[in-house]
Amino acid sequence: MATLYKILILCGGFALSTNLWAQSHLDPVNDSREFLDQYSYSLLTQERKCGIVVLPSFSNRYGISLSTNCDSLTLIEKRPHAVAHPDSVNIKEIPAVKVAIDSVFGKSLAEIIDVAVEKAMPTFSAGPDGVMYYFIASNDSIGATWSPSDESSNCGVLVNIVEALKDAIQTGELQNFIDDWWCSIDKLRLSFQNAPALPPFYFNKESGNTDNNQPTVEYSASSPLTDDFQFNAFMSCPADYIEDTLSGDPTPIYMDNAADSIFIDFCKALVKWREQASVSYVTVVITVNDDEKESYDVKSSGKSVYLNFTLPYDNLTIDNLLEQNNNCIFRCTLENMMPNDAVRPAPVHSAKTNEKGGKR
């Protein structure tokens, strides 16, 4: 157990994610320290081992501090900036609430955050009308997650714990919270530890529609800005659906996750462009459509490459995509080959020497 735990959860007015990969992991956060510190001084106690800060868009802001010895919790609540009150000048602060807890249980709350943040991987997705949760672990690293749509996922359970903890402090039913969540917290910690590894880049999966209103699954991925090799990849796939018998509107079904792995594995292979063709930036657009002509086009400009693949669903295999990617690398390498690397004709002066000297 680390000697110092600092946990901070920040909830903003953001998004509902359909990315189940992200719901099993937290996203690493490197640029939110200043924003988090801006609110910690007013919503967290000064002497604390860890804390929770919640900043919804249209409801009260609050913070939950865990004491240095992990034996008490303090709830500090304030009204939001965005809500105008007629008598806002005379509004009194909501009184802070402090409750005692078992220190062993308090340490388990801190420990689960350490494990979850340690497993954080770059997977990010967003949408309208949701909440963003930021977690700061004992080593000051930060993990984050959108309010997950799947409540049975790792991040979904973690979010439920946070919300239930705040309600328990407000209602004075903290012991009921401990009784309900003690075993769940231990199981969740193990679930974070055993979660499958995620790709080393930002990955998002969400629903979409074609021009004729047919449901699709939209994939996107991009490398972190700190990487030497940069890429952006996009893939659109048709989704299975059930048609409403009355309205005729399609209801999408997203049960097949085979395309997820294919897209992720293909993105991992894009680094070959740097290794084999000295390319620094790659943009990829993959359209899966049985109605269009199959094609695998590549265009290059300096150190940048643009790939545009169109293929039927039956050809959406990792072997096919890797083969086409390798073919494009070979084509670009030949097209960009420098003159001194190409096969050159015999110099003109050699022919004159042969004529004069009679040597061949």
Side-chain angles (χ1 to χ4, degrees), residues 30-106:
N30 300 315
D31 58 355
S32 296
R33 175 69 59 186
E34 182 178 352
F35 182 69
L36 299 178
D37 289 345
Q38 178 182 354
Y39 292 95
S40 63
Y41 75 93
S42 62
L43 294 174
L44 296 176
T45 56
Q46 292 182 352
E47 295 181 0
R48 65 185 188 279
K49 179 167 284 189
C50 58
I52 300 170
V53 174
V54 182
L55 300 173
S57 297
F58 302 105
S59 58
N60 288 351
R61 298 172 290 132
Y62 65 89
I64 302 175
S65 299
L66 180 64
S67 64
T68 303
N69 296 325
C70 296
D71 57 1
S72 68
L73 290 167
T74 302
L75 171 65
I76 300 175
E77 191 171 4
K78 292 190 175 183
R79 291 175 173 84
H81 294 300
V83 178
H85 297 277
D87 57 342
S88 58
V89 177
N90 299 319
I91 286 180
K92 296 182 179 180
E93 292 294 342
I94 302 172
V97 180
K98 184 175 181 179
V99 294
I101 62 171
D102 187 313
S103 62
V104 176
F105 181 74

Side-chain angles (χ1 to χ4, degrees), residues 18-214:
T18 58
N19 185 354
L20 296 182
W21 288 79
Q23 290 176 9
S24 292
H25 301 73
L26 298 180
D27 303 319
V29 178
N30 300 315
D31 58 355
S32 296
R33 175 69 59 186
E34 182 178 352
F35 182 69
L36 299 178
D37 289 345
Q38 178 182 354
Y39 292 95
S40 63
Y41 75 93
S42 62
L43 294 174
L44 296 176
T45 56
Q46 292 182 352
E47 295 181 0
R48 65 185 188 279
K49 179 167 284 189
C50 58
I52 300 170
V53 174
V54 182
L55 300 173
S57 297
F58 302 105
S59 58
N60 288 351
R61 298 172 290 132
Y62 65 89
I64 302 175
S65 299
L66 180 64
S67 64
T68 303
N69 296 325
C70 296
D71 57 1
S72 68
L73 290 167
T74 302
L75 171 65
I76 300 175
E77 191 171 4
K78 292 190 175 183
R79 291 175 173 84
H81 294 300
V83 178
H85 297 277
D87 57 342
S88 58
V89 177
N90 299 319
I91 286 180
K92 296 182 179 180
E93 292 294 342
I94 302 172
V97 180
K98 184 175 181 179
V99 294
I101 62 171
D102 187 313
S103 62
V104 176
F105 181 74
K107 291 177 181 178
S108 71
L109 290 174
E111 188 174 39
I112 190 177
I113 302 302
D114 266 358
V115 172
V117 173
E118 182 182 0
K119 291 285 291 187
M121 294 292 288
T123 63
F124 182 80
S125 57
D129 298 333
V131 179
M132 186 70 164
Y133 294 76
Y134 290 87
F135 300 79
I136 296 183
S138 59
N139 61 359
D140 287 336
S141 58
I142 305 176
T145 183
W146 298 106
S147 51
S149 58
D150 182 2
E151 294 188 356
S152 64
S153 66
N154 287 348
C155 292
V157 177
L158 189 58
V159 165
N160 288 340
I161 289 175
V162 173
E163 300 295 340
L165 178 60
K166 187 249 187 181
D167 292 340
I169 296 174
Q170 285 182 318
T171 59
E173 298 180 352
L174 196 58
Q175 187 57 51
N176 291 337
F177 168 85
I178 294 175
D179 294 341
D180 292 339
W181 288 101
W182 188 291
C183 293
S184 297
I185 288 176
D186 288 339
K187 292 178 180 178
L188 183 59
R189 176 175 52 81
L190 293 174
S191 184
F192 270 113
Q193 288 176 336
N194 299 327
L198 287 175
F201 46 77
Y202 297 96
F203 167 74
N204 188 40
K205 173 185 176 183
E206 58 188 4
S207 60
N209 292 93
T210 62
D211 293 338
N212 58 354
N213 202 35
Q214 295 302 303

Side-chain angles (χ1 to χ4, degrees), residues 152-288:
S152 64
S153 66
N154 287 348
C155 292
V157 177
L158 189 58
V159 165
N160 288 340
I161 289 175
V162 173
E163 300 295 340
L165 178 60
K166 187 249 187 181
D167 292 340
I169 296 174
Q170 285 182 318
T171 59
E173 298 180 352
L174 196 58
Q175 187 57 51
N176 291 337
F177 168 85
I178 294 175
D179 294 341
D180 292 339
W181 288 101
W182 188 291
C183 293
S184 297
I185 288 176
D186 288 339
K187 292 178 180 178
L188 183 59
R189 176 175 52 81
L190 293 174
S191 184
F192 270 113
Q193 288 176 336
N194 299 327
L198 287 175
F201 46 77
Y202 297 96
F203 167 74
N204 188 40
K205 173 185 176 183
E206 58 188 4
S207 60
N209 292 93
T210 62
D211 293 338
N212 58 354
N213 202 35
Q214 295 302 303
T216 59
V217 181
E218 304 295 326
Y219 298 89
S220 62
S222 61
S223 53
L225 294 177
T226 54
D227 286 6
D228 294 333
F229 174 71
Q230 295 290 308
F231 78 87
N232 284 287
F234 310 90
M235 185 171 76
S236 177
C237 291
D240 292 332
Y241 65 92
I242 298 175
E243 190 172 288
D244 191 300
T245 55
L246 297 177
S247 65
D249 296 332
T251 300
I253 304 173
Y254 306 114
M255 298 300 294
D256 185 7
N257 294 324
D260 299 15
S261 298
I262 294 174
F263 180 72
I264 290 172
D265 289 344
F266 176 72
C267 289
K268 291 178 181 179
L270 291 175
V271 72
K272 291 182 178 180
W273 281 97
R274 181 187 61 182
E275 298 171 348
Q276 300 180 13
S278 299
V279 169
S280 302
Y281 185 82
V282 174
T283 299
V284 184
V285 176
I286 302 174
T287 303
V288 181

